[in-house]
Amino acid sequence: MDNTPASTAPAAPAALGLLAGKVAFITGAGRGIGAAAARLFAREGARVLLAARTEAELKAVTEEVRAAGGTAEYVTCDLADAAGVRAAVDHAVDLYGRLDVAFNNGATIQHPGPLDGMPEPDFDRVYSVNLKGVWLAMVAEVAAIRATAGTGAIVNNSSVGSLRGNPELPAYAAMKRAVNSLTESAAVTYGPEGIRVNAIAPGATLTAMIRAWEAESPGLTERLSAGNPLRRMADPEEIAQAAAWFLSDRSSFVTGTVLRVDGGALT
Ligand SMILES: NC(=O)c1ccc[n+]([C@@H]2O[C@H](COP(=O)([O-])OP(=O)(O)OC[C@H]3O[C@@H](n4cnc5c(N)ncnc54)[C@H](OP(=O)(O)O)[C@@H]3O)[C@@H](O)[C@H]2O)c1
């Protein structure tokens, strides 16, 4: 016997987006995956606040989102600057009155090479932006979500490079693995109050970051494309789609997960 309750509710309006009604804060939103996320989240109904250091890029993406009918603002901030990160997150609340979701996507890459060839200041820079910056952002976001929306969701952008030895980008990979750990710890800490925390681990994605790596490692993109069953790199929007789902109520029972979005690269 089919005991599925018959629904008396009217069908949901088809026009309702995945993130309808939510306020979203996105770091690294001036280009690449973060810019794709800003466009997508706004299309899915979120009011978005874009953050990064380069104002011209943020302004261009913000105007694009607005021209498409979305609601967007931007704020400049360096993820290595604690006060700046806190101010940027607080700005979302000043602008929109609340914070529901955040995508901690901004990061920097290192020069490729073995770990004993890396100058100490470079290691410190990758640490400050890619690990400490994510921690700073999460602390500010949890406080803002708690104080306004009450419950919410955070997604951290990790990398498939975090899941295995990475001789070409050892410091970058180490920080990303630590981001996975912070994600899992935060999920346990904040789950009881209804704040979900997940990470995505993208594979090779066509952005300025991969082009910078390719410039120092010719042939990289062919190598990376050949290394996954789909035999190509990702378009930034394909990565943003995974983040959007994690930030939406459709993933309401998912927390503490690190999801590979990598064309099957590790299989
Ligand atoms: N592309 C890939 O193949 C790939 C693969 C795995 C994971 N990822 C991850 O995906 C995320 C996005 O990367 P992407 O490929 O889109 O790179 P991207 O095109 O270089 O974009 C990086 C974004 O982060 C911002 N950013 C960098 N340093 C910052 C800082 N100190 N403070 C604030 N913002 C900063 C950049 O803006 P400003 O420079 O203006 O600040 C930019 O908006 C990163 O977390 C990256 O590690 C990328």
Side-chain angles (χ1 to χ4, degrees):
M1 192 180 91
D2 180 6
N3 62 3
T4 309
S7 173
T8 51
L16 214 57
L18 199 58
L19 299 171
K22 295 190 191 297
V23 170
F25 176 72
I26 307 164
T27 68
R31 58 177 186 263
I33 294 168
R39 295 184 196 101
L40 174 67
F41 295 2
R43 270 203 319 276
E44 292 292 347
R47 288 174 287 165
V48 295
L49 177 61
L50 288 60
R53 291 169 304 172
T54 310
E55 184 167 8
E57 291 185 343
L58 291 169
K59 191 165 182 286
V61 180
T62 299
E63 284 170 0
E64 213 185 306
V65 170
R66 289 179 183 161
T71 302
E73 300 281 349
Y74 69 84
V75 60
T76 54
C77 114
D78 186 339
L79 287 167
D81 171 40
V85 172
R86 280 193 291 270
V89 173
D90 288 348
H91 196 50
V93 177
D94 296 341
L95 283 167
Y96 299 127
R98 59 190 287 133
L99 183 68
D100 299 272
V101 298
F103 182 29
N104 295 318
N105 160 80
T108 188
I109 194 167
Q110 66 162 105
H111 294 292
L115 60 91
D116 61 321
M118 187 175 196
E120 191 177 335
D122 283 3
F123 187 94
D124 290 343
R125 178 183 55 84
V126 177
Y127 159 73
S128 298
V129 177
N130 293 12
L131 177 55
K132 191 175 167 195
V134 172
W135 169 70
L136 289 168
M138 288 172 73
V139 170
E141 290 154 3
V142 166
I145 291 170
R146 250 187 205 147
T148 60
T151 61
I154 294 171
V155 170
N156 296 323
N157 203 346
S158 180
S159 169
V160 282
S162 74
L163 303 174
R164 57 191 163 190
N166 195 326
E168 286 189 67
L169 305 175
Y172 173 89
M175 302 314 158
K176 292 294 190 181
R177 189 175 292 194
V179 165
N180 300 346
S181 174
L182 272 186
T183 301
E184 291 161 9
S185 298
V188 175
T189 305
Y190 305 116
E193 59 185 291
I195 299 175
R196 297 182 297 108
V197 187
N198 291 287
I200 53 172
T205 308
L206 280 164
T207 68
M209 183 177 280
I210 213 88
R211 285 192 288 275
W213 183 7
E214 162 110 44
E216 297 190 56
S217 306
L220 174 80
T221 51
E222 285 77 15
R223 219 165 59 222
L224 293 177
S225 298
N228 74 57
L230 298 183
R231 297 287 188 270
R232 64 177 177 86
M233 310 232 302
D235 180 88
E237 185 177 326
E238 294 179 282
I239 309 301
Q241 288 283 359
W245 180 76
F246 268 137
L247 293 177
S248 81
D249 297 340
R250 304 262 179 97
S251 63
S252 54
F253 204 56
V254 184
T255 197
T257 295
V258 179
L259 177 71
R260 288 166 39 208
V261 190
D262 64 353
L266 291 185
T267 56

